[in-house]
Amino acid sequence: MAENGVRPINRPTNPMVTPLLTDLYQFTMAYAYWKAGKHLDRAVFDLFFRKNPFGGEYTIFGGLDECIRFIANFRFSEEEISFLRSAMPACEDGFFEYLRAIDCSDVEVYASPEGSVVFPKIPMMRVEGPVAVVQLLETPFVNLVNYASLVTTNAARHRFVAGKSKILIEFGLRRAQGPDGGISASKYSYIGGFDATSNVAAGRLFGIPLRGTHSHAFVSSFMSPDEIVDKTLQSCDGSIICEDFVSLVQTWLSKLQLLDSTNGVFGETNQSELAAFTSYSLAFPRNFLALVDTYDVMRSGIPNFCAVALALNDLGYKAAGIRLDSGDLAYLSIEARKFFCSVEKEFGVPGFGKMLITASNDLNEETLDALNKQGHEVDAFGIGTYLVTCYAQAALGCVFKLVEINNQPRIKLSEDVTKVSIPCKKRIYRLYGREGYPLVDIMTGENEPPPKVGERILCRHPFNESKRAYVVPQNVEELLKCYWPGYSNKKREELPTLKETRERCLRQLAQMRPDHVRRLNPTPYKISVSAKLYDFIHFLWLNEAPVGELQ
């Protein structure tokens, strides 16, 4: 623990990794299992979701890394045992002795690789182990996967609408649901395809590139050019490059006013804004990016920026660009680009017309789509609130269902067919067609022979007997891999780096058929079971369902 009593967020002592991060009923069930002598029964649970988010037809799996780190540190401290005693005073002492001794060494975790495209009903994770221990993992696993997958999918959807060539920056820390939500949003937005974050803590923890400039407060804090303390521009070694940078900026502003005299777009620009830009450029001559909408974008912000950028150019520096945070972003970006191009042409400054234009201001999927339809010149988007809060959908709705205990398949029934679980330990395969696109995901029983390339296999909808098709796969990929082998001798998959997970996400999305990932009216992806598993599901369903009697 730090001297000030605050636990660092990236340490195992973070409250996020405590075994108490669960619902009380997990402990009451664990006690009841223990009392009945069932706590060591071998159970298999599937973690999955029932419907894709945001009206789409795909989801990106996130949170696996956090789940594995959670179980790697799963042990009860004496302080935690004492708290549980006080919270459950009716429980016997032997139960707390049992809790004191447990860890996850007898648990096995199988999962799709993080960053994979996943679909409803298909288990993203399969967790096996003593039923009482695995039951204690339910809530934390669902918690860690639910938001991670939701925000990663949200980020991927924003990337799809913006296009591959645009820079996407996550700006959401101040609007996120608390510090942990902000850190997670930065991490999973990056996996989903964002290029950078403004969140400095996330940059330190995960190595995500950092981007940021200044706010309106910085601009409005200046009253006049007289406030610029240091008018000299120095090199890294301290040598003087320009003794009176302010005068050089004013000279360029006069030239720009002459250039614009025929158009009459601006006259006398806001001098306090010019002072702010000048001061900021003196601090960051190699990365000068200005927020230009504090007073008036075209009449003041753009010419003031250009004057400072041209002065920097004279001294061998290249300004980065501008940020627009209000107004008609499509129109303003186009007008700004025109002005940059006219400056390049008039003054012979190579590349000035390609100055970076960044836009922010509560952007979301709809506004990005609208900007694309209007036409714009924005190169980068800073997106915050709608991204990190997942404003369009509150939760993914992950569930954790028992599918087998002591080698006996179990099923959860419901009058709502979408809530009927798919029983038994399963293997999951993705079947690919001739064009390289995935055709269907199929679940089979654990001991069924796997699908083979070039051999016809009957794929059936789990609950609709009329939906079935033969598939002849050109490639077969098994989806669930072992990430925590427990006492088994199975090879453990290594957790990838964050960058590798991001690359997997982008690669998987590029591999999907375009109509499955398009924003409007996407085609549902097919999920299926083998003919043998289909028959078994319906046999077990009929066997477990109560038989009514009419009098």
Side-chain angles (χ1 to χ4, degrees), residues 43 88 124 132 183 203 242 246 258 291 307 383-384 394 402 433 454 461 468 471 491 533:
M88 305 173 68
M124 295 183 284
I183 293 290
C242 181
V246 174
L258 288 174
L291 180 59
I383 305 175
L402 177 72
H461 187 283
R468 53 188 180 168
V471 176
K491 179 184 176 183
L533 182 55

Side-chain angles (χ1 to χ4, degrees), residues 41-99:
D41 287 6
R42 194 76 183 173
V44 180
F45 286 79
D46 285 346
L47 190 155
F48 60 95
F49 60 95
R50 297 188 176 106
K51 186 177 181 182
N52 288 304
F54 310 118
E57 290 295 343
Y58 71 91
T59 300
I60 306 297
F61 175 38
L64 174 63
D65 177 273
E66 298 286 351
C67 289
I68 299 303
R69 295 183 190 281
F70 181 88
I71 61 174
N73 293 284
F74 188 92
R75 290 299 297 266
F76 287 94
S77 68
E78 288 303 317
E79 181 183 355
E80 289 164 340
I81 294 292
S82 296
F83 175 79
L84 284 172
R85 283 182 183 274
S86 67
M88 305 173 68
C91 296
E92 298 175 23
D93 289 344
F95 174 64
F96 299 107
E97 292 303 314
Y98 159 70
L99 291 181

Side-chain angles (χ1 to χ4, degrees), residues 535-549:
D535 290 338
F536 181 73
I537 292 169
H538 290 265
F539 165 78
L540 192 61
W541 191 342
L542 292 174
N543 210 43
E544 296 286 346
V547 179
E549 181 175 332

Side-chain angles (χ1 to χ4, degrees), residues 460-527:
R460 304 202 63 171
H461 187 283
F463 307 113
N464 190 330
E465 63 182 356
S466 66
K467 291 186 177 181
R468 53 188 180 168
Y470 285 107
V471 176
V472 181
Q474 304 304 303
N475 185 30
V476 176
E477 177 188 9
E478 185 163 10
L479 299 185
L480 297 184
K481 303 178 186 301
C482 181
Y483 283 92
W484 189 262
Y487 289 139
S488 74
N489 294 321
K490 295 176 182 176
K491 179 184 176 183
R492 177 181 174 180
E493 294 287 326
E494 293 297 322
L495 291 171
T497 65
L498 192 68
K499 186 176 180 182
E500 288 169 341
T501 301
R502 179 179 188 271
E503 289 170 351
R504 177 178 183 83
C505 172
L506 298 178
R507 187 169 61 249
Q508 285 249 310
L509 285 169
Q511 207 172 26
M512 296 302 298
R513 212 171 67 198
D515 59 307
H516 290 310
V517 297
R518 66 191 177 201
R519 181 170 174 266
L520 297 176
N521 301 315
T523 303
Y525 182 80
K526 293 178 176 61
I527 61 103

